[in-house]
Amino acid sequence: MTDIDGNAVAADIRSGVAECVETLQAEGVDPALATVLMSDDPASETYVSMKQNDCEEVGIDGIHVDVDDDAPAEELYDTIDELNADDGVHGILVQLPVPDHVDTERVLRSIDPAKDVDGFHPENVGRLVGGNARFKPCTPHGIQRLLAAADVDPEGKEAVVVGRSDIVGKPIANLLFGRGPGGNATTTVCHSRTDDLASHTRRADIVVAAAGIPEFITADMVSEGTTVIDVGINRVERDGESTLVGDVDYEAVSEKAGAITPVPGGVGPMTRAMLLYNTVKAAAEQHDVDVDLP
Ligand code: NAD
């Protein structure tokens, strides 16, 4: 069994991104990512500060805007408009979820598609589905890179995605069955209404677990040699302590899997690295600079 080391793959991508930053700076472009937070949820605050630290590490300018969580929704929409109009901002990320009085769909639609480094704008979703992605969403793109790093070519294989969310399940399914490198798998998407989930996962060569249920995929649900990508991040109490586990029962499934991603240290670091990748890609395209994307 191979443990797929997301930290190592992400470190390679970050160093490639840092080289792209140097190329851009030599052309007079300082790549910048704006994060916008309209929430006092500690987890969201942590995610945003991690993204800002990641930017700093590779030389991307991090700009952060806080919008009070009980401010009128217009304040968030206006903030996005200002960032769209600012030529010095190349990527915009609004940390989700936003408060209930804000229209999430409107937020996603408001971001300039050329700066939409999360890849959630309907235009960018449409491009991904059409096989002509501008920005691949960070988690699915990270998964594709992990498979490549583990020498697992999806072409012709049976891939089973567990979960149909807009941010993970749907886009990774599209990438896996889409044409081109990292795609061409025969792909099944399972979800909460799927009958006999195990009958699907057992025939898979690649299982992507993104259901958000702790240790949901058990050893009896996978076949010998299967590649298992665990997207889940679940906080659970174990022996009186809070700990992170994935959607896969790692201890048992790793005995059968051909390759598997751990939690933490698998998909998570890749999601963060691919955001930096999308930011330098956005800056390069906006200023028509050639960069050697990693
Ligand atoms: P979500 O709650 O939006 O979607 C969960 C999906 O699982 C749904 O489509 C649902 O149909 C499916 N599901 C629920 N119960 C099921 C069942 N019994 N059988 C089959 N399918 C079932 O979650 P999400 O945003 O896609 O995230 C999934 C997990 O991945 C969460 O744990 C989340 O924290 C994690 N996540 C991790 C990263 C990362 O970078 N590692 C990024 C995004 C999300």
Side-chain angles (χ1 to χ4, degrees):
M1 185 275 298
T2 310
D3 230 2
I4 308 175
D5 184 350
N7 285 320
V9 183
D12 281 348
I13 289 171
R14 285 199 305 273
S15 83
V17 166
E19 285 173 25
C20 294
V21 171
E22 283 174 19
T23 307
L24 284 158
Q25 286 170 338
E27 297 290 328
V29 178
D30 277 322
L33 172 71
T35 53
V36 183
L37 179 64
M38 187 177 189
S39 167
D40 60 1
D41 170 42
S44 290
E45 285 169 3
T46 304
Y47 289 143
V48 166
S49 77
M50 279 174 8
K51 288 165 188 171
Q52 287 290 337
N53 292 342
D54 290 344
C55 283
E56 195 180 332
E57 193 193 305
V58 296
I60 292 174
D61 282 346
I63 298 161
H64 180 66
V65 184
D66 265 316
V67 179
D68 211 69
D69 65 334
D70 52 15
E74 288 304 329
E75 203 170 310
L76 179 58
Y77 307 143
D78 290 348
T79 300
I80 295 169
D81 287 345
E82 282 162 27
L83 294 168
N84 282 339
D86 185 340
D87 289 343
V89 170
H90 305 103
I92 302 171
L93 180 147
V94 178
Q95 185 66 41
L96 299 177
V98 286
D100 289 344
H101 66 282
V102 177
D103 176 356
T104 304
E105 287 303 314
R106 177 165 170 186
V107 169
L108 300 181
R109 270 199 323 271
S110 304
I111 297 171
D112 178 346
K115 298 187 179 186
D116 170 40
V117 285
D118 256 341
F120 297 158
H121 187 288
E123 179 181 315
N124 287 326
V125 174
R127 286 183 59 153
L128 178 87
V129 173
N132 176 32
R134 175 194 270 136
F135 300 116
K136 292 183 185 176
C138 302
T139 301
H141 193 186
I143 293 170
Q144 225 179 12
R145 292 304 186 93
L146 285 174
L147 290 172
D151 275 332
V152 177
D153 182 355
E155 177 154 339
K157 300 217 167 56
E158 291 273 346
V160 171
V161 176
V162 183
R164 57 174 163 185
S165 72
D166 292 343
I167 64 166
V168 186
K170 283 182 199 162
I172 187 58
N174 272 282
L175 292 178
L176 286 170
F177 71 64
R179 292 179 193 278
N184 293 326
T186 302
T187 305
T188 304
V189 181
C190 298
H191 48 76
S192 52
R193 305 296 174 92
T194 296
D195 262 349
D196 195 3
L197 176 65
S199 70
H200 297 281
T201 54
R202 267 190 217 119
R203 57 152 215 277
D205 302 303
I206 300 168
V207 172
V208 177
I213 305 172
E215 296 174 335
F216 178 54
I217 304 295
T218 48
D220 58 313
M221 293 170 76
V222 298
S223 298
E224 291 285 340
T226 301
T227 300
V228 180
I229 304 290
D230 189 354
V231 186
I233 303 178
N234 309 290
R235 193 157 279 288
V236 295
E237 290 289 321
R238 284 284 147 81
D239 306 323
E241 278 184 33
S242 164
T243 181
L244 282 187
V245 299
D247 284 359
V248 175
D249 176 1
Y250 179 86
E251 287 307 318
V253 173
S254 58
E255 299 283 315
K256 275 176 105 175
I260 186 167
T261 60
V263 176
V267 176
M270 294 301 293
T271 297
R272 292 166 59 183
M274 299 330 286
L275 175 64
L276 305 172
Y277 174 103
N278 278 350
T279 303
V280 288
K281 182 172 193 286
E285 284 174 5
Q286 284 161 44
H287 292 274
D288 211 7
V289 175
D290 275 337
V291 291
D292 199 2
L293 287 165

